[in-house]
Amino acid sequence: MIRNLVALMLTLALSACTALRVYTDFNPAAQFANYRTYSWSTTPEQVSPLLAQRIVDNIDMQLRAKGWNKVATGGDVAVAANVATRQEYYVNDYYGGPYWGGWGWGGWGGWGGWGWGGAYGGFSSTHVHSYTVGTLAVDMFDSRTHQAIWRGTAEGAIKRNPTKATADIQTAVAEMFATFPPGSVPAP
């Protein structure tokens, strides 16, 4: 029972540490109403080719939904996506005890005979868990001026299960583009 409780607490604590965080920023001088096409300049390389393609596909889907069209080269906007990863660790310490004994053989402090048992040292258990945190950065540049106009970042633990990793990518990209272009209202 205690082991199950510790495992539950560890899972909750670890999930709180690795929650998906999404941020966006933009150049307020950029005229987003004038942009209608985009081209890819850089696609993610620090993840598997399948995850990289899922990232690109999700960004394409979001931009199409906003009325933008992808062109092979020469779009109004150049889009770049990059992924960086780092290893993080979660240390779980569990302390139990002390064991206070009770009435029975052993007496005080284990001195033998019948009596009240004394205090014995407690125990501790330490587990170190590692996980990979990934940061997805999506940058947009005005192709004519080469100025940065928008940036979206998402950070969270990378799931080993491809289905869960794909779901996280979809969630992250959807959150990034919820209020895109800047000044728009998120869909209900």
Side-chain angles (χ1 to χ4, degrees), residues 91-124:
V91 178
N92 181 35
D93 290 324
Y94 177 76
Y95 297 97
Y99 173 70
W100 287 102
W103 184 262
W105 185 258
W108 180 255
W111 284 96
W114 284 93
W116 187 257
Y120 296 94
F123 66 92
S124 67

Side-chain angles (χ1 to χ4, degrees), residues 2 20 25 50 53 71 84 94 97 114 158 175 181:
I2 290 178
L20 185 64
D25 192 12
L50 290 171
Q53 188 58 52
V71 295
Y94 177 76
W114 284 93
I158 296 177
E175 284 185 33

Side-chain angles (χ1 to χ4, degrees), residues 11 14-21 47-48 51 54 85 130-134 155-169 171:
T11 302
L14 186 57
S15 66
C17 294
T18 61
L20 185 64
R21 294 176 300 279
V47 291
S48 78
L51 286 180
R54 290 175 186 135
T85 61
S130 69
Y131 57 98
T132 303
V133 174
E155 183 176 81
I158 296 177
K159 307 291 190 313
R160 290 184 178 139
N161 178 318
T163 303
K164 291 180 180 180
T166 299
D168 284 351
I169 290 168
T171 300

Side-chain angles (χ1 to χ4, degrees), residues 5 14 18 20 30 38 46 56 123 128 130-131 135 143-144 149 151 179-180 185:
L5 181 60
L14 186 57
T18 61
L20 185 64
Y38 69 97
Q46 298 299 318
V56 170
F123 66 92
V128 178
S130 69
Y131 57 98
T135 303
S143 294
R144 189 179 52 77
I149 60 170
R151 176 167 226 195
T179 58
F180 186 87
V185 178

